[in-house]
Amino acid sequence: MENERKLTIARAMAEATAQEMRIDPSVFVMGEDIAELGGVFGNTRGLLEEFGKERVRDTPISETGFIGAAVGAAQDGMKPVVELMFVDFFGVCFDAIYNLMAKNTYFSGGKFNVPMVLMTSTGGGYSDAGQHSQCLYGSFAHLPGMKVVSPSNAYDAKGLMTAALRDPNPVIYMYHKGLQGMGWLGTEAGAIVHVPEESYEVEIGKAAIAREGRDVTIVSIAQGVHHGLKAADKLAEQGISAEVVDLRSLVPLDRDTIRASVAKTGRLIVVDEDYHSYGVSGEIIATVTESNMADLKAAPKRIAYPDVPIPFARVMEQHCLPNADKIVAAARDLCGAPVPA
Amino acid sequence: MAARKPKASNVSADELTQFYRDMLLIRRFEEKAGQLYGMGLIGGFCHLYIGQEAVVVGLEAATEEGDKRITSYRDHGHMLACGMDPNGVMAELTGRIGGYSKGKGGSMHMFSAEKHFYGGHGIVGAQVPIGAGLAFADKYKDNGRVTFTYFGDGAANQGQVYETFNMAALWDLPVVFVIENNQYAMGTAMKRSTSTPDIYTRGEAFGIPGEAVDGMDVLAVKAAGEKAVAHCRAGKGPYILEVKTYRYRGHSMSDPAKYRTREEVQKMREERDPIDHVRDLLLTGKHATEDDLKAIDKEIKAIVNASADFSRESPEPPVDELYTDIYAEVS
């Protein structure tokens, strides 16, 4: 493709942030190691050099303190972009997130908005054990008052970031470490795609059909979308046509796109790297079964992280993670295809 | 705190009268809120400010237009002192549509953009980082404003307070940390909860200057507030005021306050009451007569009664209102 401009998600996030900072002086960025170091996961690289340390500010390791401060600044007309380095660290600062950031608009009867973006890394697969590898999508999406997005590729990453920066609400921007394009975390080639240079938005709350199909719907987000796409390739070779839905946003959830896809295929697999129980996978299935029972040709399936703390040992962790082979097996089962010998 | 005799001070009759009026409004408002609570018109938790009136009235006298304030759940006094409408506050307490948050927030969650009041927060200490963020925004905009961030002696043992002290000092934020030390963290007395008798000294570790202030003396509070605010406005970073005060009522309306003696409370009321103090100054200084003060009492009573009437007459919120203000509209 001519003039192709392939970027990683990390670079796409930084580009969107920089473009908004150029036109909106109320945007500033803060977090641990986001300035001098450029972000542990690369998503703020270059911002300090262009915008200086007043607007791109390293913080102490005080997540409650600086996320709470961002809430105050947001209520006072600023647009903070704040990074919680690993989503696993939410345990030390969740009060500032779900009790303050998410509720002050409502509690003020709409007098104050809290326009801010909280970026946080998710996901495992690189043997970092259970305090640095979780997704916790469901934990955030469960609580009202904040939007939640998670891109699977650089195009969406830029557009969702721009949309988040222009949204008058708090947006949790969850980026999967395995998709960032940082070598040490592994590289997912499918996440590195063409990104237009000019600014654009990807609508928050709108899912994408990442691949069209007839026989089975695979719904996922972030890294899981790539597992789904790989599974769809394999299934195609076996005569099964899979549709892959990339949610992109968890809040608001695009229930219409999910239902329409399942209405077409009659079969549903949800792929979720978050824990199995009480999470996103259950919510997607409920979305369908609450309204489309007659459309279903078989009981839905979910491929999610088992309800165990994430282990360190590679063999154990890989056993737990979703992958294309698990999806293929589930799809064949749903479609009544014989298990290959 | 020792008994104190009224002393002449460098203060005008008008200002003293205003202090008297502002403190009395808070006291009578809170007494009325207590009555409405007892009648079942106010639900949930309701934390009264009675006894602490001089703190917020003295500090408000040190503010300029545009300065900000944020506090915890014991917030009715702060709202009245910064000029918010008693009707709107009382109607929020009764959960009516005419309340500041349309009944969605209640006693602990009210806000006013117009008066630069940023809540009303229900989690002990959680407002402290927000206060630093407000000050950060002002510093970023270079607008000369100062944020008064109030919290109690109980909150002073929350870790996030010290995260915030560090950031505020590191970034020279224009924030006055006001520790309203009313001697009890819910039911736990200072000496049973806090390692040092003077909480303001904890700022030293962060390079933040601070001092203790007699919080039952509105003039002393105002003077300390002026000093603190001048420090912040001069760009010297944060300042800590530990205002030693006393709450006469329980932690909330559901607290019978059995952790202290009646005599202790009675002694404070008789010897250190902040409103009696100003009343004495007005009378002994011949700034006002008994009749003048009675006229003020009557006027305040009328304001408070009107707010109580409003809070009962304002309709309850329609169920549709449940689903508004969760998210702001995307323009």
Side-chain angles (χ1 to χ4, degrees):
Chain A
M1 178 173 155
E2 227 174 299
N3 299 323
E4 199 170 43
R5 198 171 164 272
K6 283 196 166 187
L7 296 187
T8 62
I9 287 184
R11 285 196 52 196
M13 289 171 72
E15 182 168 282
T17 307
Q19 287 176 341
E20 282 307 290
M21 290 181 83
R22 284 177 205 137
I23 58 173
D24 184 351
S26 70
V27 179
F28 72 101
V29 186
M30 70 176 168
E32 294 155 9
D33 278 330
I34 56 89
E36 298 276 349
L37 193 142
V40 171
F41 304 110
N43 43 312
T44 53
R45 196 157 293 172
L47 298 180
L48 175 69
E49 292 74 8
E50 180 174 354
F51 300 103
K53 63 184 183 187
E54 181 68 18
R55 296 183 72 190
V56 183
R57 156 178 308 261
D58 282 324
T59 61
I61 301 177
S62 304
E63 290 86 355
T64 309
F66 69 76
I67 295 173
V71 173
Q75 288 180 201
D76 196 13
M78 303 288 290
K79 279 193 187 161
V81 181
V82 186
E83 170 144 294
L84 176 63
M85 191 187 288
F86 288 80
V87 75
D88 314 71
F89 301 169
F90 87 126
V92 300
C93 58
F94 212 43
D95 190 62
I97 296 168
Y98 90 113
N99 262 331
L100 306 179
M101 186 182 85
K103 290 180 185 161
N104 275 356
T105 301
Y106 195 71
F107 277 164
S108 69
K111 287 189 174 64
F112 284 106
N113 295 339
V114 189
M116 60 185 276
V117 181
L118 180 66
M119 307 186 290
T120 188
S121 74
T122 65
Y126 63 107
S127 290
D128 212 357
Q131 292 177 352
H132 295 79
S133 300
Q134 299 168 97
C135 285
L136 303 177
Y137 300 130
S139 304
F140 286 82
H142 180 61
L143 297 156
M146 49 199 185
K147 298 185 177 181
V148 181
V149 302
S150 191
S152 69
N153 61 68
Y155 179 89
D156 289 346
K158 180 172 174 180
L160 286 170
M161 178 58 84
T162 303
L165 282 161
R166 294 176 184 173
D167 200 290
N169 294 287
V171 179
I172 308 282
Y173 190 108
M174 306 178 92
Y175 57 90
H176 195 290
K177 297 192 278 292
L179 303 180
Q180 283 299 91
M182 308 289 282
W184 59 282
L185 292 164
T187 298
E188 171 54 65
I192 302 171
V193 299
H194 173 68
V195 175
E197 189 161 6
E198 67 274 13
S199 189
Y200 61 91
E201 292 182 44
V202 166
E203 185 183 342
I204 295 174
K206 189 79 190 132
I209 305 294
R211 175 182 174 127
E212 287 194 30
R214 297 182 310 275
D215 302 327
V216 57
T217 297
I218 300 167
V219 176
S220 194
I221 193 160
Q223 178 86 299
V225 173
H226 298 284
H227 297 317
L229 290 169
K230 284 170 192 154
D233 284 343
K234 292 184 182 186
L235 287 165
E237 292 166 11
Q238 299 169 29
I240 294 174
S241 165
E243 177 147 301
V244 179
V245 176
D246 180 353
L247 292 173
R248 303 195 290 195
S249 299
L250 294 175
V251 181
L253 180 61
D254 186 355
R255 298 182 200 268
D256 290 345
T257 294
I258 299 166
R259 285 172 178 149
S261 178
V262 177
K264 180 171 69 171
T265 65
R267 301 178 184 88
L268 171 64
I269 298 170
V270 186
V271 181
D272 184 10
E273 197 184 316
D274 196 3
Y275 301 116
H276 180 96
S277 300
Y278 304 100
V280 169
S281 60
E283 183 62 31
I284 304 298
I285 290 170
T287 294
V288 170
T289 56
E290 279 173 344
S291 68
N292 292 43
M293 276 300 277
D295 294 331
L296 285 168
K297 296 171 183 159
K301 287 182 181 289
R302 51 180 147 173
I303 295 165
Y305 207 94
D307 295 323
V308 297
I310 296 175
F312 169 75
R314 180 170 174 80
V315 63
M316 292 172 78
E317 185 189 13
Q318 294 299 323
H319 177 78
C320 292
L321 286 167
N323 61 37
D325 289 342
K326 291 182 184 180
I327 300 168
V328 168
R332 289 181 62 84
D333 188 28
L334 279 182
C335 295
V339 179
Chain B
M1 278 172 272
R4 163 204 55 200
K5 285 182 181 154
K7 58 179 185 245
S9 183
N10 190 16
V11 59
S12 74
D14 282 353
E15 192 171 28
L16 270 181
T17 307
Q18 193 63 43
F19 288 152
Y20 180 75
R21 189 187 302 272
D22 291 347
M23 289 195 288
L24 196 67
L25 173 63
I26 295 172
R27 174 139 330 164
R28 296 288 175 256
F29 182 95
E30 294 290 65
E31 287 168 352
K32 182 61 77 177
Q35 283 172 16
L36 297 183
Y37 193 93
M39 293 162 68
L41 288 162
I42 297 173
F45 289 130
C46 185
H47 310 85
L48 301 182
Y49 201 63
I50 296 174
Q52 301 181 211
E53 296 90 344
V55 180
V56 77
V57 169
L59 289 173
E60 281 295 333
T63 62
E64 284 179 9
E65 173 56 33
D67 288 343
K68 299 183 169 69
R69 58 283 287 167
I70 183 167
T71 189
S72 72
Y73 40 78
R74 196 177 307 285
D75 55 356
H76 314 158
H78 302 71
M79 292 188 274
L80 297 175
C82 73
M84 287 168 66
D85 178 9
N87 289 6
V89 179
M90 197 69 94
E92 189 63 32
L93 298 186
T94 54
R96 304 302 172 102
I97 195 74
Y100 263 98
S101 301
K102 300 185 246 177
K104 296 174 182 180
S107 168
M108 298 188 279
H109 309 285
M110 283 180 251
F111 300 78
S112 167
E114 187 194 4
K115 299 295 179 188
H116 311 287
F117 179 74
Y118 287 81
H121 290 274
I123 306 291
V124 174
Q127 76 279 12
V128 180
I130 299 183
L134 294 168
F136 172 79
D138 287 333
K139 184 165 195 280
Y140 188 99
K141 297 174 195 166
D142 195 20
N143 63 13
R145 301 277 72 91
V146 172
T147 297
F148 285 77
T149 300
Y150 293 84
F151 56 100
D153 48 299
N157 289 326
Q158 277 278 356
Q160 58 186 311
V161 169
Y162 301 97
E163 294 188 7
T164 306
F165 280 5
N166 179 52
M167 287 191 300
L170 185 69
W171 298 339
D172 290 328
L173 301 182
V175 53
V176 181
F177 295 110
V178 182
I179 304 167
E180 295 196 61
N181 182 352
N182 67 17
Q183 319 297 330
Y184 291 91
M186 291 189 64
T188 306
M190 264 284 281
K191 63 176 183 291
R192 291 193 288 123
S193 69
T194 302
S195 63
T196 163
D198 292 305
I199 304 171
Y200 76 90
T201 60
R202 293 180 177 180
E204 286 171 16
F206 302 90
I208 306 177
E211 61 187 282
V213 187
D214 179 356
M216 307 309 265
D217 179 347
V218 69
L219 302 177
V221 174
K222 183 197 170 196
E226 285 174 338
K227 185 175 163 191
V229 94
H231 176 91
C232 293
R233 253 194 262 284
K236 295 178 182 172
Y239 200 92
I240 297 172
L241 293 178
E242 180 185 355
V243 189
K244 311 247 186 191
T245 181
Y246 196 81
R247 104 170 115 67
Y248 294 176
R249 298 292 188 94
H251 168 73
S252 71
M253 287 299 293
S254 60
D255 168 19
K258 287 181 177 165
Y259 41 81
R260 61 186 182 189
T261 62
R262 261 175 213 282
E263 291 71 30
E264 177 185 306
V265 181
Q266 201 52 35
K267 191 171 161 60
M268 289 299 287
R269 278 181 173 271
E270 284 170 6
E271 297 179 4
R272 298 304 322 279
D273 187 80
I275 300 177
D276 286 349
H277 172 226
V278 171
R279 184 185 168 84
D280 289 348
L281 289 177
L282 282 166
L283 292 174
T284 55
K286 307 221 182 297
H287 300 303
T289 65
E290 292 276 2
D291 283 345
D292 293 337
L293 298 184
K294 270 183 195 155
I296 293 174
D297 293 357
K298 199 174 161 191
E299 186 190 324
I300 297 294
K301 195 176 173 185
I303 293 170
V304 169
N305 284 340
S307 76
D309 291 345
F310 180 79
S311 80
R312 302 173 74 156
E313 287 158 10
S314 176
E316 295 191 311
V319 173
D320 289 353
E321 196 57 59
L322 256 180
Y323 297 99
T324 66
D325 306 319
I326 302 170
Y327 297 97
E329 293 288 323
V330 179
S331 52

